């Protein structure tokens, strides 16, 4: 079967062939342009909400606590949530908390120190992540079964046993 566009005019009229117009192409170009503009706006507006952090030091105070200090760069007047954990020499979690840092003002660089309570002696402490969102994509607590997760002092919150 041949293409209707190649047939004589009277055949094209009989079978309802219409020559393509520019309108569908123009509509497609406009929709693509709006989509690209929307995606660009979304990523630019959310990029300004980024939080960066850097672990400065940690000190094992005792068999039941470790002090963790880190630096945070955040947008001004923003509450930041940081997840901190401590592990023992077998790389098993002995302390875990989500720390809320709510220091209003135009300060964008913050030095934070938090004393993390631990279930036993820690040999490692780390900041897993900081974000403007309470829910973060960080490793979940990895406590052995039957271990009581230590309660944390405010502004930290220990995870609930599941």
């Amino acid at each position: 079967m041949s293409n209707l566009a190649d047939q004589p005019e009277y055949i094209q009229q009989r079978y309802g062939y219409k020559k393509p117009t520019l309108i569908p192409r123009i509509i497609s170009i406009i929709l693509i342009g709006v989509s690209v503009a929307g995606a660009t706006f979304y990523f630019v507006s959310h990029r300004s909400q980024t939080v960066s952090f850097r672990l400065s030091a940690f000190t094992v105070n005792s068999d039941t606590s470790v002090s963790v200090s880190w630096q945070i760069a955040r947008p001004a007047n923003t509450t930041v949530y940081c997840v901190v954990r401590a592990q023992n020499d077998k790389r098993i979690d002995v302390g875990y908390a989500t720390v809320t840092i709510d220091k209003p003002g135009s300060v964008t660089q913050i030095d934070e120190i938090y004393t993390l309570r631990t279930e036993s002696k820690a040999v490692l402490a780390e900041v897993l992540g900081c974000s403007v969102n309470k829910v973060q994509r960080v490793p979940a607590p990895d406590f052995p079964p039957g271990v009581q997760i230590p309660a944390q002092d405010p502004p930290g919150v220990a995870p609930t046993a599941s």
Side-chain angles (χ1 to χ4, degrees):
M1 184 171 188
S2 64
N3 190 356
L4 264 178
D6 298 335
Q7 299 297 322
E9 185 71 29
Y10 71 94
I11 298 287
Q12 291 178 9
Q13 289 176 354
R14 179 185 299 163
Y15 293 104
Y17 176 77
K18 294 180 181 178
K19 294 181 182 177
T21 62
L22 288 176
I23 292 176
R25 289 182 182 168
I26 291 172
I27 291 174
S28 297
I29 289 170
I30 290 173
L31 287 175
I32 290 171
V34 167
S35 299
V36 168
T40 302
F41 174 77
Y42 175 81
F43 287 114
V44 167
S45 66
H46 282 79
R47 195 183 93 203
S48 65
Q49 292 295 317
T50 59
V51 175
S52 63
F53 63 94
R54 186 175 65 98
L55 179 68
S56 300
F58 69 89
T59 305
V60 177
N61 301 331
S62 68
D63 285 352
T64 59
S65 73
V66 60
S67 293
V68 184
S69 64
W70 68 100
Q71 297 172 337
I72 304 162
R74 62 159 187 165
N77 295 315
T78 305
T79 300
V80 177
Y81 304 93
C82 293
V83 178
V84 182
R85 81 169 167 192
Q87 293 182 327
N88 64 13
D89 57 349
K90 294 179 179 65
R91 302 284 292 178
I92 296 173
D93 289 353
V94 293
Y96 194 100
T98 301
V99 181
T100 303
I101 299 145
D102 188 16
K103 296 182 179 175
S106 61
V107 176
T108 58
Q109 299 287 333
I110 300 172
D111 291 327
E112 185 67 24
I113 299 173
Y114 182 74
T115 301
L116 182 67
R117 289 187 182 176
T118 60
E119 174 265 331
S120 61
K121 185 168 182 155
V123 297
L124 170 74
E126 59 187 331
V127 180
L128 296 177
C130 290
S131 174
V132 294
N133 302 319
K134 270 189 175 182
V135 178
Q136 298 183 43
R137 300 182 102 183
V138 296
D142 185 25
F143 288 89
V147 169
Q148 179 68 28
I149 299 173
Q152 300 297 328
D153 294 328
V157 177
T160 56
S162 47

